[in-house]
Amino acid sequence: AVRSQLQKISSPTSPFKSNQREFDFYAPRGPLGVVIESTPKGPRIQSIYHGSPLLGIVDHGDYIIGLDDLNTKGMGAAQLTRLMAQRSEQPQRKISFLSFAGATKG
């Protein structure tokens, strides 16, 4: 069974450099099973729990740049975590990520 749909998006004005890829993940209802950390560049995946719907989709160090089309780049981890929890009972949530393929995340 397919857990979600991935959709590639692009942003020519992204402040991040190097090999990067932006994509959306449509997360199911319930907890996401991730720990988010605050960084100067925005909220970032610190760790992913076994059983998370994001396991195999995102990596440690990927940035969360959007939630349901809301720009999250300026949010801290606590603010984003609260927002995700408030929306956890929606049938699905659109989460946008910025991932660095083969680049140092930091």
mmCIF file of all heavy atoms in Angstrom, residues 63-81:
data_model
loop_
_atom_site.group_PDB
_atom_site.id
_atom_site.type_symbol
_atom_site.label_atom_id
_atom_site.label_comp_id
_atom_site.label_asym_id
_atom_site.label_seq_id
_atom_site.Cartn_x
_atom_site.Cartn_y
_atom_site.Cartn_z
ATOM 1 N N TYR A 63 15.427 19.896 6.198
ATOM 2 C CA TYR A 63 14.689 21.051 6.713
ATOM 3 C C TYR A 63 13.208 20.935 6.385
ATOM 4 O O TYR A 63 12.843 20.482 5.301
ATOM 5 C CB TYR A 63 15.236 22.348 6.122
ATOM 6 C CG TYR A 63 16.609 22.681 6.633
ATOM 7 C CD1 TYR A 63 17.741 22.207 5.998
ATOM 8 C CD2 TYR A 63 16.768 23.460 7.778
ATOM 9 C CE1 TYR A 63 19.009 22.495 6.478
ATOM 10 C CE2 TYR A 63 18.033 23.759 8.266
ATOM 11 C CZ TYR A 63 19.147 23.270 7.610
ATOM 12 O OH TYR A 63 20.392 23.548 8.094
ATOM 13 N N ILE A 64 12.365 21.358 7.322
ATOM 14 C CA ILE A 64 10.918 21.439 7.084
ATOM 15 C C ILE A 64 10.645 22.886 6.694
ATOM 16 O O ILE A 64 10.794 23.794 7.515
ATOM 17 C CB ILE A 64 10.120 21.036 8.336
ATOM 18 C CG1 ILE A 64 10.473 19.613 8.738
ATOM 19 C CG2 ILE A 64 8.621 21.178 8.072
ATOM 20 C CD1 ILE A 64 9.913 19.193 10.080
ATOM 21 N N ILE A 65 10.286 23.096 5.433
ATOM 22 C CA ILE A 65 10.130 24.455 4.929
ATOM 23 C C ILE A 65 8.672 24.863 4.735
ATOM 24 O O ILE A 65 8.388 26.011 4.419
ATOM 25 C CB ILE A 65 10.925 24.657 3.620
ATOM 26 C CG1 ILE A 65 10.478 23.674 2.541
ATOM 27 C CG2 ILE A 65 12.421 24.510 3.903
ATOM 28 C CD1 ILE A 65 11.092 23.944 1.174
ATOM 29 N N GLY A 66 7.735 23.917 4.938
ATOM 30 C CA GLY A 66 6.327 24.257 4.795
ATOM 31 C C GLY A 66 5.424 23.224 5.432
ATOM 32 O O GLY A 66 5.773 22.053 5.533
ATOM 33 N N LEU A 67 4.263 23.700 5.881
ATOM 34 C CA LEU A 67 3.219 22.830 6.422
ATOM 35 C C LEU A 67 1.890 23.338 5.888
ATOM 36 O O LEU A 67 1.502 24.478 6.163
ATOM 37 C CB LEU A 67 3.232 22.847 7.952
ATOM 38 C CG LEU A 67 2.131 22.039 8.636
ATOM 39 C CD1 LEU A 67 2.265 20.544 8.305
ATOM 40 C CD2 LEU A 67 2.157 22.251 10.136
ATOM 41 N N ASP A 68 1.216 22.518 5.091
ATOM 42 C CA ASP A 68 -0.051 22.911 4.465
ATOM 43 C C ASP A 68 0.074 24.274 3.780
ATOM 44 O O ASP A 68 -0.757 25.160 3.957
ATOM 45 C CB ASP A 68 -1.184 22.913 5.493
ATOM 46 C CG ASP A 68 -1.474 21.514 6.020
ATOM 47 O OD1 ASP A 68 -1.287 20.541 5.264
ATOM 48 O OD2 ASP A 68 -1.881 21.397 7.189
ATOM 49 N N ASP A 69 1.152 24.445 3.018
ATOM 50 C CA ASP A 69 1.450 25.656 2.244
ATOM 51 C C ASP A 69 1.767 26.885 3.099
ATOM 52 O O ASP A 69 1.826 27.997 2.593
ATOM 53 C CB ASP A 69 0.342 25.970 1.239
ATOM 54 C CG ASP A 69 0.237 24.902 0.155
ATOM 55 O OD1 ASP A 69 1.305 24.423 -0.307
ATOM 56 O OD2 ASP A 69 -0.884 24.540 -0.224
ATOM 57 N N LEU A 70 1.992 26.696 4.382
ATOM 58 C CA LEU A 70 2.440 27.770 5.270
ATOM 59 C C LEU A 70 3.961 27.696 5.353
ATOM 60 O O LEU A 70 4.518 26.640 5.637
ATOM 61 C CB LEU A 70 1.830 27.582 6.663
ATOM 62 C CG LEU A 70 2.281 28.549 7.750
ATOM 63 C CD1 LEU A 70 1.762 29.951 7.451
ATOM 64 C CD2 LEU A 70 1.764 28.085 9.101
ATOM 65 N N ASN A 71 4.644 28.809 5.085
ATOM 66 C CA ASN A 71 6.095 28.857 5.133
ATOM 67 C C ASN A 71 6.555 28.704 6.580
ATOM 68 O O ASN A 71 6.163 29.471 7.445
ATOM 69 C CB ASN A 71 6.576 30.179 4.552
ATOM 70 C CG ASN A 71 8.091 30.279 4.470
ATOM 71 O OD1 ASN A 71 8.815 29.671 5.241
ATOM 72 N ND2 ASN A 71 8.560 31.059 3.526
ATOM 73 N N THR A 72 7.382 27.695 6.847
ATOM 74 C CA THR A 72 7.850 27.428 8.213
ATOM 75 C C THR A 72 9.331 27.760 8.402
ATOM 76 O O THR A 72 9.885 27.485 9.465
ATOM 77 C CB THR A 72 7.614 25.950 8.579
ATOM 78 O OG1 THR A 72 8.356 25.117 7.672
ATOM 79 C CG2 THR A 72 6.144 25.589 8.527
ATOM 80 N N LYS A 73 9.977 28.348 7.405
ATOM 81 C CA LYS A 73 11.432 28.587 7.467
ATOM 82 C C LYS A 73 11.836 29.459 8.652
ATOM 83 O O LYS A 73 12.926 29.303 9.170
ATOM 84 C CB LYS A 73 11.920 29.216 6.170
ATOM 85 C CG LYS A 73 11.849 28.275 4.989
ATOM 86 C CD LYS A 73 12.286 28.969 3.718
ATOM 87 C CE LYS A 73 12.022 28.118 2.499
ATOM 88 N NZ LYS A 73 12.294 28.826 1.256
ATOM 89 N N GLY A 74 10.992 30.361 9.100
ATOM 90 C CA GLY A 74 11.338 31.241 10.207
ATOM 91 C C GLY A 74 10.879 30.738 11.567
ATOM 92 O O GLY A 74 11.049 31.422 12.568
ATOM 93 N N MET A 75 10.293 29.558 11.624
ATOM 94 C CA MET A 75 9.760 29.022 12.879
ATOM 95 C C MET A 75 10.833 28.289 13.680
ATOM 96 O O MET A 75 11.757 27.726 13.117
ATOM 97 C CB MET A 75 8.623 28.035 12.614
ATOM 98 C CG MET A 75 7.376 28.653 12.094
ATOM 99 S SD MET A 75 6.080 27.394 11.947
ATOM 100 C CE MET A 75 4.795 28.373 11.208
ATOM 101 N N GLY A 76 10.661 28.293 14.986
ATOM 102 C CA GLY A 76 11.476 27.461 15.852
ATOM 103 C C GLY A 76 10.853 26.083 15.954
ATOM 104 O O GLY A 76 9.695 25.868 15.541
ATOM 105 N N ALA A 77 11.596 25.153 16.521
ATOM 106 C CA ALA A 77 11.120 23.770 16.650
ATOM 107 C C ALA A 77 9.845 23.686 17.485
ATOM 108 O O ALA A 77 8.908 22.966 17.117
ATOM 109 C CB ALA A 77 12.210 22.896 17.254
ATOM 110 N N ALA A 78 9.784 24.409 18.600
ATOM 111 C CA ALA A 78 8.603 24.333 19.475
ATOM 112 C C ALA A 78 7.353 24.841 18.771
ATOM 113 O O ALA A 78 6.289 24.228 18.862
ATOM 114 C CB ALA A 78 8.855 25.113 20.765
ATOM 115 N N GLN A 79 7.489 25.947 18.066
ATOM 116 C CA GLN A 79 6.340 26.513 17.347
ATOM 117 C C GLN A 79 5.849 25.556 16.267
ATOM 118 O O GLN A 79 4.652 25.306 16.137
ATOM 119 C CB GLN A 79 6.732 27.857 16.726
ATOM 120 C CG GLN A 79 5.592 28.549 16.002
ATOM 121 C CD GLN A 79 6.019 29.857 15.338
ATOM 122 O OE1 GLN A 79 7.198 30.206 15.316
ATOM 123 N NE2 GLN A 79 5.065 30.576 14.796
ATOM 124 N N LEU A 80 6.767 24.985 15.486
ATOM 125 C CA LEU A 80 6.376 24.056 14.428
ATOM 126 C C LEU A 80 5.776 22.781 15.017
ATOM 127 O O LEU A 80 4.779 22.270 14.506
ATOM 128 C CB LEU A 80 7.565 23.728 13.534
ATOM 129 C CG LEU A 80 7.277 22.738 12.399
ATOM 130 C CD1 LEU A 80 6.140 23.225 11.501
ATOM 131 C CD2 LEU A 80 8.526 22.474 11.591
ATOM 132 N N THR A 81 6.351 22.276 16.088
ATOM 133 C CA THR A 81 5.822 21.066 16.723
ATOM 134 C C THR A 81 4.389 21.293 17.203
ATOM 135 O O THR A 81 3.518 20.438 17.012
ATOM 136 C CB THR A 81 6.730 20.623 17.886
ATOM 137 O OG1 THR A 81 8.033 20.342 17.356
ATOM 138 C CG2 THR A 81 6.193 19.395 18.574
#
